[in-house]
Amino acid sequence: MIDFTLTEEEEMIRESARSFASDKLRPAGEKHEDSGRVQSDIAEEYKKLGFGLLELPTDLGGAGLTPFAKSLVMEELGWGDAGAALAIEGCWPAYYAITEGAPKDLQKSLLGKLSGSGEAPKGVLVVDTDARLQVNGSVEGTASFVTGSGADVAVVLKDKQALIIEGQGLKFKPLVGCALQASGPSEVQFSKAKVLHAVKDAAAYEKIVARIRIYTASLLVGVARASFEYAMKYAQERSAFGKPIAHHQAIAFYIAEMAMAVDAARLAVWRAIHQLNLGSQVGWHAAAAYQEAAQQSRFVTDWGLQILGGHGYIKDHPVEKWMREAQVLTTIWGGVDQADLDACELVLAE
């Protein structure tokens, strides 16, 4: 029997994340985007909440909770500010390569500091789909866009391997991106960057990629929900021809379809997490969930902007920001094109 009821603990986690996103991230969103960084007090409060360590194993100081709990948090943070979420998380997706494929001693040295006092170590993730990086014991080359302006460790996905790289050989050049500016987007140059470990096991690599896609899809669900809720409220308050525009049939149809789209994307993510827990067909389901979240978030954020009419195209309203974020989140880390290629490979192999 399928049961979508959250446990008491999951409800508590979601409500806490929702309050943090509503009270801290959303109000400071414009300021974070303009400055390219998150206020230190907000980052510190997030660290105290412990959401960044939800999935970290208990022997490394984390909570050892499930990917589902993490997904609940990431949807709420995506609703609040996806760029800020990546910043305060220290680009958590990079750490999946370490938790899933690094030796225990390396896990401890790289991740053990996450639960310590002071500023948490940061990661950066690069998916080298266009062969810009050269690997020969160390890494040379340039990645044109990463989320983060510095890193203690880098992870590069390349040729079906996850390379864990020390941060000393990295040089960051800030960029002005079209979205996720709060994450501190940068170009990063690898110069004799030492490879600490290469995850070559096919099953481990598949799981790493799947977890990155589930994480990103969860953010996309939050971004889509933010746009839907804002546009729906606007349509209920804005009147034309004697009644709220939400009561005009054309707008009403789109509001209904936007609500369905958010639900569909969320259910796809939850199904992928279920398969992740089962350890079965996770590559396929994660790729499908990411593709579903990408398509639905693009649809919802586009119509969130359209419903506001001319107001949607100016920064007085955040719908244009959510549309930009949805576009970028569907292209980073290999994006939906690589997800489609991987899904096709799995289908053809059956």
Side-chain angles (χ1 to χ4, degrees):
M1 184 179 74
I2 298 175
D3 185 358
F4 296 114
T5 306
L6 302 188
T7 66
E8 185 176 339
E9 182 183 47
E10 289 164 348
E11 283 282 10
M12 183 182 68
I13 290 170
R14 183 168 70 173
E15 287 306 311
S16 296
R18 185 167 291 179
S19 296
F20 176 79
S22 176
D23 298 342
K24 303 297 179 181
L25 291 189
R26 178 72 70 84
E30 187 175 347
K31 186 175 181 179
H32 289 160
E33 187 168 48
D34 289 344
S35 65
R37 58 184 295 274
V38 175
Q39 293 173 214
S40 57
D41 59 324
I42 292 178
E44 185 60 30
E45 183 169 339
Y46 184 74
K47 186 175 181 180
K48 289 179 180 176
L49 286 170
F51 290 141
L53 305 178
L54 278 184
E55 290 181 288
L56 192 68
T58 52
D59 59 351
L60 294 174
L65 294 182
T66 65
F68 184 67
K70 186 71 174 185
S71 176
L72 295 175
V73 171
M74 297 321 299
E75 178 182 332
E76 299 307 322
L77 299 191
W79 180 92
D81 185 339
L86 292 171
I88 58 180
E89 283 265 298
C91 193
W92 181 260
Y95 296 131
Y96 287 133
I98 302 170
T99 58
E100 297 294 340
K104 282 293 181 184
D105 58 340
L106 189 58
Q107 287 185 9
K108 191 171 183 180
S109 66
L110 294 177
L111 300 179
K113 299 174 184 174
L114 284 171
S115 58
S117 59
E119 188 173 355
K122 298 175 182 176
V124 65
L125 174 64
V126 175
V127 180
D128 187 32
T129 57
D130 49 4
R132 292 186 174 214
L133 302 179
Q134 305 301 315
V135 181
N136 186 18
S138 61
V139 179
E140 297 278 349
T142 302
S144 57
F145 181 92
V146 298
T147 58
S149 55
D152 301 282
V153 62
V155 169
V156 174
L157 303 189
K158 181 181 177 66
D159 301 331
K160 304 289 187 184
Q161 296 184 44
L163 308 174
I164 301 168
I165 300 163
E166 68 178 4
Q168 292 182 354
L170 309 181
K171 186 176 181 181
F172 291 79
K173 178 182 177 183
L175 296 175
V176 178
C178 68
L180 307 179
Q181 194 63 28
S183 70
S186 305
E187 176 186 276
V188 59
Q189 183 177 0
F190 292 75
S191 178
K192 298 180 181 178
K194 182 181 177 183
V195 178
L196 299 172
H197 182 73
V199 182
K200 299 179 180 179
D201 179 75
Y205 181 83
E206 182 182 26
K207 196 172 180 182
I208 291 165
V209 174
R211 299 193 74 167
I212 292 169
R213 287 177 178 154
I214 290 170
Y215 182 101
T216 315
S218 301
L219 278 175
L220 281 167
V221 174
V223 170
R225 199 186 96 219
S227 185
F228 159 66
E229 291 178 356
Y230 193 93
M232 181 177 66
K233 185 173 185 295
Y234 179 90
Q236 290 173 313
E237 294 173 350
R238 175 84 169 176
S239 292
F241 303 106
K243 59 183 178 182
I245 62 173
H247 295 179
H248 291 279
Q249 193 175 65
I251 300 296
F253 283 169
Y254 274 108
I255 289 175
E257 290 178 18
M258 290 163 72
M260 295 173 193
V262 173
D263 261 2
R266 183 185 297 114
L267 288 174
V269 172
W270 288 10
R271 185 179 69 167
I273 295 170
H274 177 65
Q275 292 299 137
L276 178 66
N277 293 335
L278 292 177
S280 171
Q281 297 181 313
V282 62
W284 163 260
H285 286 283
Y290 179 45
Q291 179 62 265
E292 181 72 10
Q295 289 188 20
Q296 302 301 358
S297 64
R298 284 173 169 171
F299 165 75
V300 171
T301 56
D302 179 43
W303 269 98
L305 185 147
Q306 299 291 341
I307 286 174
L308 266 69
H311 290 158
Y313 292 89
I314 57 178
K315 289 194 172 183
D316 289 354
H317 299 273
V319 286
E320 57 83 27
K321 174 176 177 287
W322 293 319
M323 187 175 71
R324 290 186 281 113
E325 289 174 344
Q327 293 292 330
V328 173
L329 285 170
T330 58
T331 56
I332 62 171
W333 301 330
V336 290
D337 289 345
Q338 189 61 47
D340 281 347
L341 289 172
D342 292 346
C344 181
E345 187 176 311
L346 291 167
V347 169
L348 294 176
E350 289 182 353

